[in-house]
């Protein structure tokens, strides 16, 4: 298939990257690269790499897939989608962003789920991992295991609610029948390690790129008007900055919010960022979904809805846990 590119879009992108490269060189922002890599090593590499390996290993063994196929009657009833979307949901919960989008994309490309089922699944198979919320955010950033547990429960209940809501998307088109197609690999350890290494490096690269972008935009004052506007309402500079940074790159924003004490505001804004995921994560997911020709607009609506639900449920869980 021949792909036609928009000349205007290409020109804009080329100019943006050229300006970015000049500013980076002249402004001496190499320190931001180091800080981005340190953030990745401290909060992502140590907590997510084992989970990337485990999820890839389980997928190769077919155990997760076979178990999810047994849930087909339940997924059809609740999500209006066949049991294979339950498999994608499990992989999303285990591995975090953007594994769910990748899995849904793979299922759609192989003809195992319909176009409508892929759209429904993309709405709820887009979650952060428990290790990120327990380890990185809870234990490392906020120094509170309880914070991580409450964050995880909020996140999963919100994702489940999104799944139920999106089951009404083109409700008349019913779920298809599930197929057992999972194949065990002969080199499970190698394949799982390779997959985990590549995944964690890609995440690290994106975190670093967006860390540098945030640093440049912040130092040039482009983000200040937005931060100041949000600060009118939240009256906390760290949280205001964290929200703006987090909408671009999730981890960077959460790190900023963690500089303040644990309270309803810091917890709910952390829930907001984990639910939305940040533009860097959304861009990864969109790349997978577009590859499988899955509509993007419903996915974006679902991310906004997940973020809102996270805030609402987050306030309830804050009252319960703290």
């Amino acid at each position: 298939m021949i792909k036609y590119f928009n000349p205007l879009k290409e020109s804009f992108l080329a100019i943006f990257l050229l300006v970015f490269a000049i500013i980076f060189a002249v402004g001496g922002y190499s320190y931001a690269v180091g800080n981005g890599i340190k953030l990745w090593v401290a909060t992502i590499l140590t907590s997510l790499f084992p989970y990337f390996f485990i999820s890839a290993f389980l997928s190769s063994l077919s155990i997760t897939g076979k178990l999810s196929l047994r849930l087909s009657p339940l997924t059809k009833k609740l999500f209006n989608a066949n049991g294979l979307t339950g498999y994608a949901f499990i992989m999303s919960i285990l591995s975090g962003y953007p594994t769910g989008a990748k899995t849904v994309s793979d299922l759609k490309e192989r003809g195992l789920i319909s176009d409508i089922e892929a759209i429904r699944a993309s709405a709820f198979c887009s979650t952060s991992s428990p290790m990120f919320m327990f380890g990185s955010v809870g234990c490392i950033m906020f120094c509170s295991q309880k914070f991580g547990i409450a964050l995880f429960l909020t996140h999963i209940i919100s994702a489940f609610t999104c799944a139920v809501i999106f089951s009404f998307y083109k409700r008349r088109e019913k779920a298809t029948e599930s197929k057992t197609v999972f194949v065990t690999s002969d080199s499970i350890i190698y394949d799982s390690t390779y997959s985990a290494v590549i995944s964690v490096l890609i995440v690290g690269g994106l975190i670093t790129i967006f860390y540098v972008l945030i640093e440049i935009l912040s130092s040039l004052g482009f983000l200040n008007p937005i931060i100041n506007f949000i600060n009118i309402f939240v009256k906390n500079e760290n949280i205001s900055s964290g929200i703006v940074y987090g909408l671009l790159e999730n981890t960077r924003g959460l790190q900023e919010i963690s500089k303040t004490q644990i309270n309803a505001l810091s917890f709910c804004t952390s829930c907001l960022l984990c639910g939305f995921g940040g533009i860097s994560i959304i861009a990864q997911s969109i790349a997978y979904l577009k590859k499988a020709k899955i509509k993007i607009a419903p996915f974006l609506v679902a991310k906004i809805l997940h973020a809102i639900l996270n805030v609402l449920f987050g306030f309830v869980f804050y009252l319960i846990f703290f």
Side-chain angles (χ1 to χ4, degrees):
M1 181 184 292
I2 299 175
K3 293 185 178 180
Y4 296 95
F5 297 97
N6 186 324
L8 184 62
K9 189 185 291 185
E10 276 196 342
S11 300
F12 176 78
L13 182 60
I15 293 171
F16 173 79
L17 291 175
L18 183 61
V19 171
F20 181 86
I22 293 172
I23 293 174
F24 179 83
V26 175
Y29 288 99
S30 57
Y31 72 91
V33 176
N35 290 339
I37 292 173
K38 287 177 185 177
L39 177 64
W40 167 63
V41 171
T43 62
I44 300 297
L45 181 62
T46 54
S47 63
L48 284 193
F49 179 73
Y51 250 72
F52 279 141
F53 174 80
I54 291 168
S55 64
F57 198 93
L58 287 175
S59 182
S60 298
L61 286 175
S62 307
I63 294 174
T64 308
K66 288 177 181 178
L67 286 175
S68 67
L69 292 180
R70 296 182 180 275
L71 296 175
S72 186
L74 185 62
T75 59
K76 283 183 178 181
K77 198 170 191 179
L78 293 175
F79 309 149
N80 200 12
N82 74 39
L84 290 168
T85 59
Y87 163 75
F89 189 41
I90 291 171
M91 298 311 296
S92 179
I93 292 173
L94 284 175
S95 298
Y97 299 120
T99 302
K102 182 181 184 301
T103 307
V104 170
S105 174
D106 290 342
L107 293 173
K108 167 65 168 52
E109 285 187 308
R110 293 159 69 185
L112 301 174
I113 57 177
S114 68
D115 291 347
I116 301 302
E117 283 178 314
I119 292 171
R120 292 170 187 158
S122 70
F124 61 89
C125 296
S126 180
T127 60
S128 188
S129 75
M131 281 303 294
F132 176 72
M133 287 181 280
F134 290 153
S136 300
V137 182
C139 295
I140 295 176
M141 293 185 187
F142 284 91
C143 301
S144 171
Q145 188 177 34
K146 189 162 60 171
F147 190 100
I149 293 171
L151 188 64
F152 175 72
L153 291 175
T154 299
H155 195 69
I156 298 305
I157 289 175
S158 297
F160 185 85
T161 305
C162 275
V164 174
I165 292 172
F166 270 80
S167 70
F168 292 94
Y169 179 81
K170 296 193 176 180
R171 185 75 176 179
R172 291 184 178 179
E173 185 165 329
K174 299 301 180 183
T176 59
E177 294 301 319
S178 302
K179 301 174 185 177
T180 307
V181 292
F182 300 93
V183 181
T184 302
S185 172
D186 292 328
S187 53
I188 297 174
I189 295 178
Y190 173 83
D191 291 342
S192 300
T193 304
Y194 180 83
S195 175
V197 168
I198 294 299
S199 297
V200 82
L201 285 176
I202 290 173
V203 170
L206 283 166
I207 285 175
T208 304
I209 289 170
F210 273 84
Y211 193 103
V212 174
L213 178 61
I214 289 170
E215 199 71 18
I216 291 174
L217 292 175
S218 182
S219 64
L220 294 178
F222 291 133
L223 299 179
N224 290 343
I226 306 173
I227 292 172
N228 292 335
F229 176 75
I230 295 175
N231 200 42
I232 295 173
F233 302 96
V234 302
K235 301 190 184 305
N236 186 304
E237 200 168 313
N238 290 126
I239 290 181
S240 302
S241 301
I243 292 172
V244 176
Y245 297 163
L247 292 177
L248 292 171
E249 203 292 303
N250 192 27
T251 309
R252 177 72 173 84
L254 289 165
Q255 185 190 45
E256 191 70 22
I257 292 172
S258 69
K259 293 177 182 178
T260 189
Q261 62 182 359
I262 296 175
N263 52 38
L265 184 59
S266 63
F267 182 74
C268 288
T269 50
S270 296
C271 290
L272 172 74
L273 296 184
C274 283
F276 184 68
I279 292 174
S280 64
I281 291 295
I282 289 175
Q284 295 174 59
S285 300
I286 287 176
Y288 289 119
L289 297 177
K290 273 193 171 182
K291 184 170 174 281
K293 298 179 180 178
I294 300 170
K295 287 184 179 179
I296 303 303
F299 168 73
L300 295 176
V301 171
K303 293 311 299 172
I304 295 171
L305 177 62
H306 194 175
I308 294 171
L309 289 171
N310 256 18
V311 174
L312 296 177
F313 285 122
F315 183 71
V316 174
F317 274 100
Y318 176 79
L319 296 177
I320 294 172
F321 277 81
F322 301 96

